[in-house]
Amino acid sequence: MVTDLGNYLHISPGTDIPRVVNAIVEIPKGRRSKFEVDKETGLFRLDRYLYSSSHYPGDYGFIPQSLAEDNDPLDILVMVNEATFTGCLIEARIVGLFRMRDRGANDFKVLGVPHRDPLFDEFQDLGDVPAHYLREVEHFFLTYKQLEGVAIESLGWGPAAEATAEVRASVDRYREKGQVKD
Ligand SMILES: [Mg+2]
């Protein structure tokens, strides 16, 4: 079966790849409901209410026209001071990479900030991000599937250069493979 991201296929991966990307928000910051794009209809669907009593530490979604190692678009977490909404496009500057494994497979998350927001002007690389925020994000991803019995392993944080390499590889992979196929 051929699956795709429906309405999101035509959206460019970003205005200055690999440093500035388009993030399509699925789950706004502070939410516990896991919304995701339904690959068959292109609509946002409620996948589940997280089993763990925790909430997303930033706006969370994906970079269109990218393909990560898990055969899904590359995941992105955007630090925001105010949650946006499901379906919102954020022009995000990449500052770091959280490397984790979900059931033994790489499932990396790039970390971004709103590119044109002056409150984030000083956020250019991982070292500019408050250390405690990085601990929060790591703790969230290590525990959010715990009550589902899913093992997540942290491989730690990488700097912006590693994150942009991941963006580049994922955009190239998408261009090579075309659409996502099951
Ligand atoms: Mg993923």
Side-chain angles (χ1 to χ4, degrees):
M1 177 179 59
V2 176
T3 58
D4 61 42
L5 293 174
N7 301 330
Y8 303 95
L9 270 180
H10 68 283
I11 299 172
S12 144
T15 52
D16 190 11
I17 292 293
R19 183 72 165 144
V20 182
V21 304
N22 285 328
I24 307 296
V25 176
E26 294 174 299
I27 307 155
K29 174 183 177 177
R31 297 295 301 266
R32 177 172 166 181
S33 295
K34 190 171 190 321
F35 306 112
E36 60 184 34
V37 172
D38 179 69
K39 290 175 180 172
E40 289 182 32
T41 63
L43 296 173
F44 289 97
R45 64 190 288 276
L46 177 64
D47 181 63
R48 64 190 187 279
Y49 189 57
L50 290 184
Y51 289 23
S52 298
S53 180
S54 58
H55 61 262
Y56 278 77
D59 281 358
Y60 181 80
F62 64 92
I63 299 171
Q65 297 186 11
S66 70
L67 203 52
E69 286 180 63
D70 63 0
N71 223 32
D72 274 332
L74 182 58
D75 299 321
I76 181 167
L77 182 75
V78 186
M79 294 182 76
V80 288
N81 285 317
E82 183 174 275
T84 64
F85 53 90
T86 301
C88 185
L89 187 157
I90 302 178
E91 189 180 28
R93 182 172 62 253
I94 300 301
V95 296
L97 179 70
F98 179 59
R99 295 166 306 201
M100 60 175 246
R101 291 170 72 76
D102 182 331
R103 284 162 281 207
N106 286 347
D107 188 13
F108 294 176
K109 319 291 186 190
V110 296
L111 179 67
V113 297
H115 183 48
R116 297 178 192 280
D117 185 340
L119 285 169
F120 287 97
D121 274 355
E122 283 76 27
F123 289 70
Q124 299 291 335
D125 211 327
L126 195 67
D128 305 319
V129 181
H132 185 69
Y133 185 76
L134 302 180
R135 286 194 292 270
E136 273 188 24
V137 171
E138 181 174 32
H139 179 261
F140 171 75
F141 283 117
L142 281 177
T143 56
Y144 78 133
K145 291 185 179 175
Q146 217 166 49
L147 296 182
E148 298 171 48
V150 174
I152 306 285
E153 177 191 358
S154 172
L155 304 175
W157 283 94
E162 274 182 39
T164 53
E166 189 68 23
V167 170
R168 170 58 66 200
S170 298
V171 169
D172 288 348
R173 197 177 289 121
Y174 179 88
R175 286 180 182 150
E176 280 164 24
K177 291 196 182 176
Q179 354 186 31
V180 181
K181 293 184 179 168
D182 276 341

Short mmCIF file of all heavy atoms in Angstrom, two decimals, residues 120-173:
data_model
loop_
_atom_site.label_atom_id
_atom_site.label_comp_id
_atom_site.label_asym_id
_atom_site.label_seq_id
_atom_site.Cartn_x
_atom_site.Cartn_y
_atom_site.Cartn_z
N PHE A 120 14.58 34.18 20.60
CA PHE A 120 15.43 33.00 20.40
C PHE A 120 16.68 33.32 19.57
O PHE A 120 17.37 32.42 19.13
CB PHE A 120 14.63 31.88 19.73
CG PHE A 120 13.64 31.22 20.65
CD1 PHE A 120 12.31 31.61 20.66
CD2 PHE A 120 14.05 30.22 21.53
CE1 PHE A 120 11.40 31.02 21.52
CE2 PHE A 120 13.15 29.63 22.40
CZ PHE A 120 11.81 30.02 22.39
N ASP A 121 16.96 34.61 19.39
CA ASP A 121 18.13 34.99 18.57
C ASP A 121 19.43 34.36 19.06
O ASP A 121 20.30 34.01 18.28
CB ASP A 121 18.30 36.52 18.55
CG ASP A 121 17.46 37.17 17.46
OD1 ASP A 121 16.82 36.44 16.68
OD2 ASP A 121 17.43 38.42 17.41
N GLU A 122 19.56 34.24 20.38
CA GLU A 122 20.82 33.72 20.93
C GLU A 122 20.89 32.20 20.88
O GLU A 122 21.92 31.63 21.22
CB GLU A 122 21.00 34.20 22.37
CG GLU A 122 21.45 35.66 22.49
CD GLU A 122 20.33 36.66 22.23
OE1 GLU A 122 19.15 36.31 22.46
OE2 GLU A 122 20.63 37.78 21.76
N PHE A 123 19.82 31.55 20.47
CA PHE A 123 19.83 30.09 20.40
C PHE A 123 20.31 29.67 19.03
O PHE A 123 19.55 29.68 18.05
CB PHE A 123 18.42 29.53 20.63
CG PHE A 123 17.92 29.67 22.04
CD1 PHE A 123 17.60 30.91 22.57
CD2 PHE A 123 17.76 28.56 22.85
CE1 PHE A 123 17.13 31.05 23.87
CE2 PHE A 123 17.28 28.68 24.15
CZ PHE A 123 16.98 29.92 24.66
N GLN A 124 21.59 29.34 18.95
CA GLN A 124 22.19 28.95 17.67
C GLN A 124 22.72 27.52 17.70
O GLN A 124 22.91 26.91 16.66
CB GLN A 124 23.33 29.92 17.31
CG GLN A 124 22.88 31.37 17.15
CD GLN A 124 22.00 31.61 15.92
OE1 GLN A 124 22.07 30.88 14.94
NE2 GLN A 124 21.17 32.64 15.98
N ASP A 125 23.03 27.03 18.88
CA ASP A 125 23.58 25.67 18.98
C ASP A 125 23.14 25.08 20.32
O ASP A 125 22.53 25.77 21.14
CB ASP A 125 25.12 25.71 18.85
CG ASP A 125 25.67 24.44 18.22
OD1 ASP A 125 25.08 23.34 18.45
OD2 ASP A 125 26.68 24.52 17.52
N LEU A 126 23.47 23.84 20.51
CA LEU A 126 22.98 23.13 21.70
C LEU A 126 23.40 23.81 23.00
O LEU A 126 22.63 23.85 23.96
CB LEU A 126 23.51 21.68 21.67
CG LEU A 126 22.80 20.73 22.62
CD1 LEU A 126 21.35 20.50 22.19
CD2 LEU A 126 23.54 19.40 22.68
N GLY A 127 24.61 24.36 23.02
CA GLY A 127 25.12 25.00 24.23
C GLY A 127 24.36 26.25 24.62
O GLY A 127 24.52 26.76 25.74
N ASP A 128 23.53 26.77 23.73
CA ASP A 128 22.73 27.96 24.04
C ASP A 128 21.41 27.60 24.70
O ASP A 128 20.68 28.48 25.17
CB ASP A 128 22.44 28.75 22.74
CG ASP A 128 23.72 29.09 22.00
OD1 ASP A 128 24.71 29.47 22.67
OD2 ASP A 128 23.73 28.97 20.76
N VAL A 129 21.09 26.32 24.72
CA VAL A 129 19.81 25.85 25.28
C VAL A 129 20.01 25.56 26.76
O VAL A 129 20.99 24.90 27.13
CB VAL A 129 19.33 24.57 24.55
CG1 VAL A 129 18.00 24.10 25.12
CG2 VAL A 129 19.22 24.81 23.05
N PRO A 130 19.12 26.05 27.63
CA PRO A 130 19.26 25.76 29.06
C PRO A 130 19.41 24.26 29.30
O PRO A 130 18.63 23.45 28.76
CB PRO A 130 17.96 26.29 29.67
CG PRO A 130 17.52 27.37 28.73
CD PRO A 130 17.95 26.90 27.35
N ALA A 131 20.42 23.91 30.10
CA ALA A 131 20.72 22.49 30.33
C ALA A 131 19.50 21.76 30.91
O ALA A 131 19.25 20.60 30.59
CB ALA A 131 21.92 22.36 31.27
N HIS A 132 18.73 22.46 31.72
CA HIS A 132 17.59 21.77 32.32
C HIS A 132 16.52 21.43 31.29
O HIS A 132 15.84 20.41 31.42
CB HIS A 132 16.97 22.58 33.47
CG HIS A 132 15.90 21.81 34.15
ND1 HIS A 132 16.17 20.69 34.93
CD2 HIS A 132 14.55 21.93 34.12
CE1 HIS A 132 15.03 20.17 35.36
NE2 HIS A 132 14.04 20.90 34.87
N TYR A 133 16.38 22.28 30.28
CA TYR A 133 15.42 21.95 29.23
C TYR A 133 15.82 20.65 28.53
O TYR A 133 14.97 19.81 28.23
CB TYR A 133 15.30 23.11 28.22
CG TYR A 133 14.22 22.84 27.18
CD1 TYR A 133 12.89 22.97 27.50
CD2 TYR A 133 14.56 22.43 25.89
CE1 TYR A 133 11.88 22.71 26.56
CE2 TYR A 133 13.58 22.16 24.95
CZ TYR A 133 12.24 22.31 25.30
OH TYR A 133 11.27 22.03 24.36
N LEU A 134 17.12 20.50 28.29
CA LEU A 134 17.59 19.26 27.64
C LEU A 134 17.30 18.05 28.53
O LEU A 134 16.92 16.98 28.03
CB LEU A 134 19.09 19.36 27.35
CG LEU A 134 19.52 20.53 26.45
CD1 LEU A 134 21.04 20.51 26.23
CD2 LEU A 134 18.78 20.49 25.11
N ARG A 135 17.43 18.23 29.85
CA ARG A 135 17.11 17.13 30.77
C ARG A 135 15.61 16.81 30.73
O ARG A 135 15.20 15.65 30.78
CB ARG A 135 17.55 17.49 32.20
CG ARG A 135 19.06 17.43 32.40
CD ARG A 135 19.43 17.44 33.89
NE ARG A 135 19.14 18.72 34.52
CZ ARG A 135 20.00 19.73 34.59
NH1 ARG A 135 21.21 19.62 34.09
NH2 ARG A 135 19.65 20.85 35.19
N GLU A 136 14.80 17.86 30.66
CA GLU A 136 13.34 17.66 30.58
C GLU A 136 12.96 16.85 29.35
O GLU A 136 12.16 15.93 29.42
CB GLU A 136 12.63 19.01 30.47
CG GLU A 136 12.31 19.70 31.76
CD GLU A 136 11.43 20.93 31.51
OE1 GLU A 136 10.72 20.98 30.49
OE2 GLU A 136 11.48 21.82 32.32
N VAL A 137 13.53 17.24 28.22
CA VAL A 137 13.19 16.58 26.96
C VAL A 137 13.64 15.12 27.00
O VAL A 137 12.88 14.21 26.63
CB VAL A 137 13.83 17.32 25.76
CG1 VAL A 137 13.66 16.52 24.48
CG2 VAL A 137 13.21 18.71 25.62
N GLU A 138 14.85 14.91 27.47
CA GLU A 138 15.36 13.54 27.55
C GLU A 138 14.48 12.70 28.48
O GLU A 138 14.09 11.58 28.14
CB GLU A 138 16.81 13.54 28.04
CG GLU A 138 17.41 12.14 28.13
CD GLU A 138 18.88 12.16 28.47
OE1 GLU A 138 19.31 13.08 29.21
OE2 GLU A 138 19.62 11.26 28.00
N HIS A 139 14.13 13.26 29.62
CA HIS A 139 13.30 12.53 30.57
C HIS A 139 11.92 12.23 29.98
O HIS A 139 11.37 11.14 30.15
CB HIS A 139 13.15 13.34 31.87
CG HIS A 139 12.28 12.67 32.88
ND1 HIS A 139 10.95 13.00 33.07
CD2 HIS A 139 12.54 11.66 33.75
CE1 HIS A 139 10.45 12.24 34.01
NE2 HIS A 139 11.39 11.41 34.45
N PHE A 140 11.36 13.20 29.27
CA PHE A 140 10.05 12.99 28.63
C PHE A 140 10.10 11.80 27.69
O PHE A 140 9.28 10.87 27.79
CB PHE A 140 9.60 14.25 27.88
CG PHE A 140 8.37 14.01 27.05
CD1 PHE A 140 7.12 13.91 27.64
CD2 PHE A 140 8.47 13.85 25.68
CE1 PHE A 140 5.98 13.65 26.88
CE2 PHE A 140 7.33 13.60 24.90
CZ PHE A 140 6.10 13.50 25.51
N PHE A 141 11.07 11.82 26.78
CA PHE A 141 11.10 10.74 25.78
C PHE A 141 11.49 9.39 26.39
O PHE A 141 11.11 8.34 25.88
CB PHE A 141 12.02 11.11 24.62
CG PHE A 141 11.40 12.09 23.67
CD1 PHE A 141 11.95 13.36 23.49
CD2 PHE A 141 10.26 11.77 22.96
CE1 PHE A 141 11.37 14.27 22.61
CE2 PHE A 141 9.66 12.67 22.08
CZ PHE A 141 10.22 13.92 21.90
N LEU A 142 12.23 9.42 27.49
CA LEU A 142 12.59 8.15 28.13
C LEU A 142 11.40 7.53 28.86
O LEU A 142 11.38 6.32 29.09
CB LEU A 142 13.74 8.36 29.11
CG LEU A 142 15.14 8.46 28.49
CD1 LEU A 142 16.18 8.72 29.56
CD2 LEU A 142 15.47 7.17 27.72
N THR A 143 10.44 8.35 29.25
CA THR A 143 9.36 7.83 30.10
C THR A 143 7.98 7.83 29.44
O THR A 143 7.07 7.18 29.95
CB THR A 143 9.26 8.65 31.40
OG1 THR A 143 9.08 10.03 31.06
CG2 THR A 143 10.52 8.49 32.23
N TYR A 144 7.80 8.53 28.31
CA TYR A 144 6.42 8.72 27.84
C TYR A 144 5.76 7.43 27.38
O TYR A 144 4.54 7.35 27.32
CB TYR A 144 6.33 9.83 26.78
CG TYR A 144 6.77 9.50 25.37
CD1 TYR A 144 5.97 9.85 24.28
CD2 TYR A 144 7.97 8.89 25.10
CE1 TYR A 144 6.35 9.59 22.97
CE2 TYR A 144 8.36 8.62 23.78
CZ TYR A 144 7.55 8.96 22.74
OH TYR A 144 7.93 8.69 21.44
N LYS A 145 6.56 6.41 27.07
CA LYS A 145 5.97 5.13 26.66
C LYS A 145 6.14 4.03 27.71
O LYS A 145 5.87 2.86 27.45
CB LYS A 145 6.58 4.66 25.34
CG LYS A 145 6.19 5.51 24.14
CD LYS A 145 6.73 4.92 22.84
CE LYS A 145 6.32 5.76 21.64
NZ LYS A 145 6.94 5.26 20.38
N GLN A 146 6.61 4.45 28.91
CA GLN A 146 6.93 3.46 29.94
C GLN A 146 5.72 2.60 30.30
O GLN A 146 5.84 1.38 30.42
CB GLN A 146 7.42 4.20 31.19
CG GLN A 146 8.52 3.49 31.93
CD GLN A 146 9.19 4.42 32.94
OE1 GLN A 146 8.52 5.09 33.73
NE2 GLN A 146 10.50 4.46 32.91
N LEU A 147 4.55 3.21 30.45
CA LEU A 147 3.36 2.45 30.85
C LEU A 147 2.80 1.62 29.70
O LEU A 147 1.85 0.87 29.88
CB LEU A 147 2.29 3.38 31.43
CG LEU A 147 2.68 4.10 32.72
CD1 LEU A 147 1.52 4.95 33.23
CD2 LEU A 147 3.10 3.10 33.79
N GLU A 148 3.37 1.79 28.51
CA GLU A 148 2.99 0.93 27.38
C GLU A 148 3.96 -0.25 27.28
O GLU A 148 3.84 -1.09 26.38
CB GLU A 148 3.03 1.73 26.07
CG GLU A 148 2.05 2.89 26.02
CD GLU A 148 2.27 3.79 24.82
OE1 GLU A 148 2.38 3.27 23.69
OE2 GLU A 148 2.33 5.02 25.01
N GLY A 149 4.94 -0.26 28.18
CA GLY A 149 5.91 -1.35 28.16
C GLY A 149 6.93 -1.25 27.03
O GLY A 149 7.53 -2.24 26.62
N VAL A 150 7.10 -0.02 26.50
CA VAL A 150 8.04 0.18 25.39
C VAL A 150 9.35 0.73 25.94
O VAL A 150 9.35 1.71 26.70
CB VAL A 150 7.46 1.16 24.35
CG1 VAL A 150 8.49 1.48 23.27
CG2 VAL A 150 6.20 0.56 23.73
N ALA A 151 10.44 0.09 25.54
CA ALA A 151 11.76 0.51 26.03
C ALA A 151 12.35 1.56 25.11
O ALA A 151 12.47 1.35 23.90
CB ALA A 151 12.68 -0.70 26.10
N ILE A 152 12.68 2.70 25.69
CA ILE A 152 13.36 3.77 24.97
C ILE A 152 14.76 3.89 25.55
O ILE A 152 14.93 3.89 26.77
CB ILE A 152 12.63 5.13 25.13
CG1 ILE A 152 11.16 5.02 24.73
CG2 ILE A 152 13.38 6.22 24.37
CD1 ILE A 152 10.91 4.96 23.25
N GLU A 153 15.73 4.00 24.67
CA GLU A 153 17.11 4.15 25.11
C GLU A 153 17.63 5.49 24.63
O GLU A 153 17.46 5.85 23.46
CB GLU A 153 17.94 3.01 24.51
CG GLU A 153 19.41 3.06 24.83
CD GLU A 153 20.20 2.06 23.96
OE1 GLU A 153 19.57 1.33 23.16
OE2 GLU A 153 21.42 2.04 24.09
N SER A 154 18.24 6.25 25.54
CA SER A 154 18.81 7.54 25.16
C SER A 154 20.26 7.36 24.71
O SER A 154 21.04 6.69 25.37
CB SER A 154 18.76 8.51 26.33
OG SER A 154 19.48 9.69 26.00
N LEU A 155 20.57 8.00 23.59
CA LEU A 155 21.96 8.02 23.12
C LEU A 155 22.54 9.43 23.31
O LEU A 155 23.60 9.75 22.79
CB LEU A 155 22.04 7.61 21.65
CG LEU A 155 21.44 6.23 21.30
CD1 LEU A 155 21.46 5.98 19.80
CD2 LEU A 155 22.18 5.12 22.02
N GLY A 156 21.77 10.28 24.00
CA GLY A 156 22.26 11.61 24.35
C GLY A 156 22.04 12.65 23.27
O GLY A 156 21.47 12.39 22.21
N TRP A 157 22.51 13.85 23.60
CA TRP A 157 22.31 15.01 22.73
C TRP A 157 23.50 15.24 21.81
O TRP A 157 24.64 15.03 22.20
CB TRP A 157 22.11 16.26 23.58
CG TRP A 157 20.74 16.35 24.18
CD1 TRP A 157 20.36 15.94 25.43
CD2 TRP A 157 19.57 16.90 23.57
NE1 TRP A 157 19.03 16.18 25.62
CE2 TRP A 157 18.52 16.79 24.50
CE3 TRP A 157 19.32 17.49 22.33
CZ2 TRP A 157 17.23 17.22 24.22
CZ3 TRP A 157 18.04 17.92 22.05
CH2 TRP A 157 17.00 17.79 23.00
N GLY A 158 23.22 15.71 20.62
CA GLY A 158 24.27 16.11 19.69
C GLY A 158 24.09 17.57 19.32
O GLY A 158 22.99 18.12 19.42
N PRO A 159 25.18 18.23 18.87
CA PRO A 159 25.13 19.65 18.53
C PRO A 159 24.39 19.92 17.22
O PRO A 159 23.98 18.99 16.51
CB PRO A 159 26.61 20.02 18.41
CG PRO A 159 27.26 18.75 17.97
CD PRO A 159 26.51 17.64 18.65
N ALA A 160 24.27 21.21 16.89
CA ALA A 160 23.55 21.60 15.68
C ALA A 160 24.13 20.94 14.43
O ALA A 160 23.38 20.55 13.53
CB ALA A 160 23.56 23.13 15.53
N ALA A 161 25.46 20.80 14.38
CA ALA A 161 26.08 20.21 13.19
C ALA A 161 25.60 18.78 12.96
O ALA A 161 25.36 18.36 11.81
CB ALA A 161 27.61 20.24 13.32
N GLU A 162 25.42 18.04 14.04
CA GLU A 162 24.92 16.66 13.90
C GLU A 162 23.45 16.67 13.48
O GLU A 162 23.00 15.82 12.70
CB GLU A 162 25.06 15.91 15.22
CG GLU A 162 26.41 15.27 15.39
CD GLU A 162 26.49 14.48 16.70
OE1 GLU A 162 25.51 13.81 17.07
OE2 GLU A 162 27.56 14.55 17.33
N ALA A 163 22.72 17.64 14.00
CA ALA A 163 21.30 17.74 13.66
C ALA A 163 21.10 18.11 12.20
O ALA A 163 20.25 17.55 11.51
CB ALA A 163 20.61 18.75 14.58
N THR A 164 21.89 19.06 11.72
CA THR A 164 21.72 19.46 10.32
C THR A 164 22.17 18.33 9.38
O THR A 164 21.60 18.17 8.30
CB THR A 164 22.49 20.77 10.01
OG1 THR A 164 23.85 20.63 10.41
CG2 THR A 164 21.86 21.95 10.71
N ALA A 165 23.15 17.55 9.81
CA ALA A 165 23.54 16.38 9.00
C ALA A 165 22.38 15.39 8.92
O ALA A 165 22.14 14.78 7.87
CB ALA A 165 24.78 15.72 9.60
N GLU A 166 21.65 15.25 10.03
CA GLU A 166 20.49 14.35 10.05
C GLU A 166 19.38 14.89 9.14
O GLU A 166 18.73 14.12 8.42
CB GLU A 166 20.00 14.21 11.49
CG GLU A 166 18.94 13.15 11.71
CD GLU A 166 19.47 11.73 11.52
OE1 GLU A 166 20.68 11.52 11.64
OE2 GLU A 166 18.64 10.85 11.24
N VAL A 167 19.18 16.21 9.16
CA VAL A 167 18.18 16.82 8.27
C VAL A 167 18.58 16.58 6.81
O VAL A 167 17.76 16.15 5.99
CB VAL A 167 18.06 18.35 8.54
CG1 VAL A 167 17.22 19.01 7.46
CG2 VAL A 167 17.44 18.59 9.92
N ARG A 168 19.83 16.85 6.51
CA ARG A 168 20.33 16.67 5.14
C ARG A 168 20.12 15.23 4.68
O ARG A 168 19.60 14.96 3.59
CB ARG A 168 21.81 17.07 5.08
CG ARG A 168 22.53 16.70 3.80
CD ARG A 168 21.91 17.30 2.57
NE ARG A 168 22.03 18.75 2.54
CZ ARG A 168 21.24 19.55 1.79
NH1 ARG A 168 20.29 19.02 1.03
NH2 ARG A 168 21.39 20.85 1.82
N ALA A 169 20.51 14.27 5.53
CA ALA A 169 20.38 12.86 5.16
C ALA A 169 18.92 12.47 4.96
O ALA A 169 18.58 11.70 4.05
CB ALA A 169 21.03 11.98 6.25
N SER A 170 18.04 13.02 5.79
CA SER A 170 16.62 12.65 5.71
C SER A 170 15.95 13.25 4.47
O SER A 170 15.08 12.62 3.87
CB SER A 170 15.88 13.12 6.97
OG SER A 170 16.40 12.47 8.11
N VAL A 171 16.35 14.47 4.11
CA VAL A 171 15.80 15.10 2.90
C VAL A 171 16.32 14.35 1.66
O VAL A 171 15.56 14.07 0.73
CB VAL A 171 16.16 16.60 2.86
CG1 VAL A 171 15.84 17.20 1.50
CG2 VAL A 171 15.42 17.35 3.97
N ASP A 172 17.59 13.99 1.68
CA ASP A 172 18.16 13.22 0.56
C ASP A 172 17.47 11.86 0.43
O ASP A 172 17.18 11.39 -0.67
CB ASP A 172 19.67 13.02 0.75
CG ASP A 172 20.45 14.32 0.53
OD1 ASP A 172 19.85 15.29 0.03
OD2 ASP A 172 21.64 14.36 0.89
N ARG A 173 17.23 11.22 1.57
CA ARG A 173 16.59 9.90 1.57
C ARG A 173 15.18 10.01 0.97
O ARG A 173 14.77 9.16 0.17
CB ARG A 173 16.52 9.38 3.01
CG ARG A 173 16.27 7.90 3.15
CD ARG A 173 16.29 7.46 4.60
NE ARG A 173 17.61 7.47 5.21
CZ ARG A 173 17.95 8.18 6.29
NH1 ARG A 173 17.07 8.95 6.90
NH2 ARG A 173 19.17 8.12 6.77
#
